[in-house]
Amino acid sequence: DRPTYCVCRDGGVIAVTGSKFAIGSGCDYARGAMEAGKSATLAVEIAIRLDTGCGPPVTSIDLGIAARRDGLTFHQITE
């Protein structure tokens, strides 16, 4: 398996592990909700209710659809 990374707005790079991924102050709530079977969008809405550092709005983007629509290609970085 090749690792996948998330590049954040501040330039930070985070290794993505597993099939469910969340970042930010409410990430533990969001990951827990996803592990319990909730969608990513609903998981973020739950995190907003439980963590004072989170807030609306929630924006969801399907990367597969966006890539096809915008002609983007996502690459995995090898170490």
Side-chain angles (χ1 to χ4, degrees), residues 14-66:
I14 300 170
V16 177
T17 58
S19 62
K20 295 165 182 65
F21 178 70
I23 59 173
S25 66
C27 68
D28 290 335
Y29 294 115
R31 282 197 313 255
M34 287 187 286
E35 286 296 328
K38 303 302 181 191
S39 69
T41 300
L42 185 54
V44 172
E45 291 171 355
I46 291 168
I48 288 170
R49 289 196 306 262
L50 298 172
D51 187 288
T52 59
C54 297
V58 176
T59 303
S60 176
I61 299 170
D62 182 312
L63 294 179
I65 292 171

